[in-house]
Amino acid sequence: MGGLSAATGGRRSQREPSKAPYYVLLVLLAIFAIGPFVVLLFNSLKTNAEIGRNPLGPPLSPVFENFPTAWSQGGFATTMVNSAILTVGTVVGVCVIAGMAAYAMARLDLPGTDVVLLYLFVASALPFQLFLVPLFFLWSSLSLTNTLLGLIIIYWAIFSPFATLLLRSYLVALPRGFEDAARVDGATELQILLRVILPLSWPGFLTIALVSGLGAWNEYFFALTFIQDNSLKPVTTSFNAFQSNFSRDWGLTSAAGIIIILPVVALFLALQRRFISGLTAGGLKG
Amino acid sequence: MEVNEQTLRSAARPGSKDASAGRALRRRRLLSAWLFMLPLLAVNVLVILGPSVATVYYSFTEWSGIGPAEWVGLQNYTDILSDGDFWSALSHNLLWTVIFLTVPIGMGLGGAFMLSQITRFQMIFRVLFFIPYVMASVVNAAIWQNILDPDRGIGSTLALLGIPWLEGVSFFGSQALALPAVAFVDNWHWWGFVVLLFLTALQSVDKELYEAAKMDGAGRWQQFVNVTIPGIRATLVFVVLMTIIGSLLVFDYIYIITQGGPAGASEVVGTLMYKEAFARFEAGYAAALGLGMSFLSGLIVMIFIYLRRKGWEV
């Protein structure tokens, strides 16, 4: 394109417009997006007294005490473990549930696949307002409130429809030859799924693992509703309680915030393309 | 590969000596197909479908959540229509819809258009814009509660620089500012996602259309209106639809930051429903509210599908 406009430049009175204004605006938007995280990092390194003198600027005398204090006062030794259990349980369950269902729809000639697909589209778009109230009282009567398993089952139900749809579109595109060969050799469908399909489709599984893992780690609303016991709370709900108790101590709050987002930041920067493609596909689900 | 398919086909051919083996194979496949679907359908029915159907029943009852529900017919629905809190909350949902149909979609279109025009650093901008969307809502909310703190936020920072207007302004604590301030925070985490949705759509627009428009002397704005917008219409309609439904059902940032306060100034139907169910123990009434809002968003999807069937270019 550049070569073309240079070649025709003599004849055209209009020059190729400069890209500089775009870059200026894009940098401003990037500052808008990231600036608040910089403030979070700055304030996590300040004493409460320094925040009073210098609310949002860079720390003049950085201190690291906020991190151990926030860790112990925020009960992170407990809540991190709870969040890890919720996240791992959700990821494993969603991969199993969605992997089996996607395989059945893509490969086993499931009768009525169109109806199931439509149901999954609808189910993944249903608002929580529609099922929350009876679900809560059903979970109470099954003694599943105040248990991590009860919350994990809810996450399975919420994240699986989308994961199934994404994985199915991935499996449909895979060549069938290998599984037919395995079938002729007398392998069961479960063996085919584990030994043939899984090794071929791991990028699809990685994407649904990232999306559902992120969802479980960040989830606030169902955790708030279904877990009251402090010893079972994940990082999100315990952070919010902590933050309201220490709302004037922005140093401690910021350090706690950094602790929560650090695993996500690390994983996101390592696997940004897969995150972005998986999540934008999620936005286009409904 | 071909050999294997041949083998399978001959195994399934009726009349051949392997016919019964073929039928057994097909039966086995059908059985495994449903067995493999079972976990997905089971958790879905237990968590989503079953309780959704129950919501329809409970919305016609007076129910505290514990013990038996008493059938009251349409009582909850007539109560909703005469509930001032509901109408006030619904008007906030409508204001929210207006804000989210303009600000993030405008930022998304502009951001995506600019990104599509550059090549250097495009990936870095995409990652940076996207980061707020992947961070936990509670942390995002806390960051902005800090930045917009009346004593230790942007107001006092500007005051130190000699600009005193925002000093002591409590954005989330004021009746007039609470709702727009929460909407600002929610938009901050959301707009970058919209940019990426639009950018994906933009990248499939034929580059030659831009060249042709340039040859015809179209400026940037004309290119945007005449090439970009028509090229991404399907995504635009989808985002508009998602925005309207999301605004009717909005809950998380409002509940985290203001819980609908102060004095109901940022209450929306989602937060009102939550309080009815879990603070006032009016589970039947909350079910009616939830069903009503779900019905409304379903209706909007239906209208879009209907208009599209009628051949409208939406």
Side-chain angles (χ1 to χ4, degrees):
Chain A
M1 216 161 78
L4 182 74
S5 61
T8 57
R11 282 186 283 116
R12 285 166 61 185
S13 55
Q14 211 181 347
R15 270 188 65 241
E16 187 72 22
S18 158
K19 306 281 189 212
Y22 295 150
Y23 280 103
V24 171
L25 286 169
L26 288 168
V27 167
L28 288 177
L29 284 174
I31 292 171
F32 175 60
I34 298 306
F37 293 107
V38 177
V39 170
L40 181 76
L41 183 65
F42 283 170
N43 282 1
S44 73
L45 301 172
K46 292 181 204 164
T47 62
N48 209 24
E50 187 179 349
I51 291 176
R53 289 191 304 273
N54 164 26
L56 302 178
L60 300 174
S61 46
V63 293
F64 293 90
E65 287 115 60
N66 287 329
F67 288 93
T69 313
W71 180 273
S72 60
Q73 289 188 11
F76 277 103
T78 310
T79 61
M80 275 281 176
V81 173
N82 294 336
S83 278
I85 294 172
L86 287 172
T87 305
V88 172
T90 301
V91 167
V92 171
V94 167
C95 283
V96 170
I97 292 169
M100 288 171 70
Y103 180 65
M105 282 196 284
R107 284 298 198 263
L108 296 178
D109 311 319
L110 180 79
T113 294
D114 290 345
V115 179
V116 176
L117 279 179
L118 182 69
Y119 173 72
L120 290 181
F121 270 114
V122 173
S124 66
L126 285 181
F128 72 82
Q129 274 95 336
L130 190 57
F131 56 87
L132 176 73
V133 176
L135 177 66
F136 180 80
F137 297 109
L138 173 66
W139 249 224
S140 303
S141 61
L142 296 173
S143 301
L144 284 170
T145 47
N146 267 325
T147 66
L148 292 180
L149 177 66
L151 196 53
I152 290 175
I153 295 174
I154 295 173
Y155 292 162
W156 288 346
I158 294 169
F159 297 130
S160 290
F162 157 68
T164 305
L165 294 172
L166 197 141
L167 210 52
R168 176 187 164 272
S169 63
Y170 204 94
L171 293 187
V172 166
L174 285 182
R176 277 175 178 255
F178 297 107
E179 352 158 359
D180 287 340
R183 225 165 255 142
V184 169
D185 290 345
T188 67
E189 295 301 338
L190 194 61
Q191 286 169 327
I192 294 171
L193 177 55
L194 290 178
R195 303 223 180 112
V196 182
I197 299 292
L198 199 58
L200 286 174
S201 58
W202 66 266
F205 278 95
L206 181 59
T207 303
I208 66 166
L210 281 177
V211 172
S212 54
L214 180 74
W217 182 267
N218 285 345
E219 209 282 325
Y220 172 76
F221 169 70
F222 285 99
L224 171 78
T225 309
F226 286 84
I227 306 277
Q228 279 86 39
D229 189 339
N230 277 332
S231 66
L232 292 171
K233 280 183 178 167
V235 286
T236 48
T237 56
S238 78
F239 171 74
N240 217 38
F242 169 85
Q243 192 246 337
S244 332
N245 291 340
F246 294 88
S247 64
R248 293 293 151 176
D249 196 330
W250 290 117
L252 276 188
T253 300
S254 303
I258 295 272
I259 294 172
I260 293 173
I261 66 175
L262 207 57
V264 177
V265 172
L267 208 59
F268 178 74
L269 291 182
L271 297 165
Q272 17 159 309
R273 278 167 200 273
R274 195 167 299 282
F275 257 101
I276 292 178
S277 66
L279 285 166
T280 44
L284 288 166
K285 71 192 175 189
Chain B
M1 198 162 86
E2 236 165 69
V3 174
N4 292 328
E5 276 172 13
Q6 289 273 325
T7 323
L8 271 184
R9 238 174 272 138
S10 69
R13 189 184 303 139
S16 81
K17 62 179 176 180
D18 294 328
S20 64
R23 267 201 302 278
L25 189 72
R26 275 203 303 276
R27 255 206 311 277
R28 201 186 75 183
R29 273 168 71 105
L30 190 65
L31 184 67
S32 0
W34 283 110
L35 274 178
F36 279 28
M37 287 303 291
L38 193 63
L40 176 71
L41 295 177
V43 290
N44 223 273
V45 168
L46 185 68
V47 174
I48 295 175
L49 186 64
S52 294
V53 173
T55 295
V56 179
Y57 168 72
Y58 285 123
S59 75
F60 296 107
T61 67
E62 166 94 46
W63 185 43
S64 68
I66 313 152
E70 186 199 338
W71 184 268
V72 294
L74 289 172
Q75 185 68 48
N76 287 324
Y77 292 96
T78 51
D79 284 353
I80 289 175
L81 294 179
S82 57
D83 181 350
D85 289 348
F86 167 74
W87 289 108
S88 154
L90 189 63
S91 74
H92 295 149
N93 282 97
L94 294 181
L95 179 63
W96 194 274
T97 311
V98 172
I99 295 173
F100 276 78
L101 279 178
T102 48
V103 180
I105 290 182
M107 291 175 80
L109 281 174
F113 178 70
M114 289 189 290
L115 280 183
S116 72
Q117 299 294 305
I118 65 166
T119 43
R120 294 187 76 182
F121 306 118
Q122 196 209 50
M123 195 61 208
I124 296 175
F125 282 120
R126 282 163 61 171
V127 169
L128 294 179
F129 292 176
F130 202 65
I131 284 180
Y133 182 73
V134 295
M135 295 307 161
S137 52
V138 283
V139 177
N140 285 345
I143 294 173
W144 282 101
Q145 283 172 300
N146 181 0
I147 295 177
L148 297 179
D149 189 293
D151 307 317
R152 298 183 159 201
I154 190 92
S156 36
T157 306
L158 289 175
L160 288 173
L161 300 171
I163 308 166
W165 307 314
L166 290 178
E167 195 175 22
V169 174
S170 177
F171 291 91
F172 298 121
S174 115
Q175 293 258 356
L177 295 177
L179 189 69
V182 180
F184 173 86
V185 179
D186 198 340
N187 172 53
W188 168 78
H189 113 284
W190 171 246
W191 70 273
F193 179 66
V194 181
V195 168
L196 290 187
L197 290 185
F198 284 141
L199 183 62
T200 311
L202 271 180
Q203 282 167 340
S204 60
V205 177
D206 192 351
K207 292 278 181 294
E208 284 179 15
L209 289 175
Y210 286 105
E211 286 303 315
K214 272 183 215 163
M215 291 305 236
D216 291 345
R220 284 179 213 189
W221 178 250
Q222 285 165 315
Q223 288 174 39
F224 182 72
V225 171
N226 296 320
V227 181
T228 308
I229 297 286
I232 60 168
R233 205 188 55 221
T235 305
L236 188 60
V237 168
F238 169 76
V239 172
V240 165
L241 197 58
M242 200 162 69
T243 300
I244 296 174
I245 293 171
S247 303
L248 286 177
L249 304 168
V250 57
F251 177 83
D252 51 357
Y253 277 86
I254 297 177
Y255 193 80
I256 292 168
I257 298 176
T258 64
Q259 282 97 47
S266 59
E267 194 89 86
V268 288
V269 180
T271 56
L272 186 65
M273 186 202 102
Y274 197 79
K275 287 175 193 170
E276 291 291 349
F278 298 109
R280 297 175 196 150
F281 300 104
E282 294 281 357
Y285 190 75
L289 277 174
L291 189 64
M293 293 314 275
S294 306
F295 179 75
L296 208 55
S297 42
L299 195 67
I300 286 165
V301 176
M302 292 302 189
I303 290 172
F304 264 87
I305 292 174
Y306 176 76
L307 290 180
R308 189 169 283 182
R309 286 259 168 85
K310 293 285 274 186
W312 281 43
E313 294 214 326
V314 293

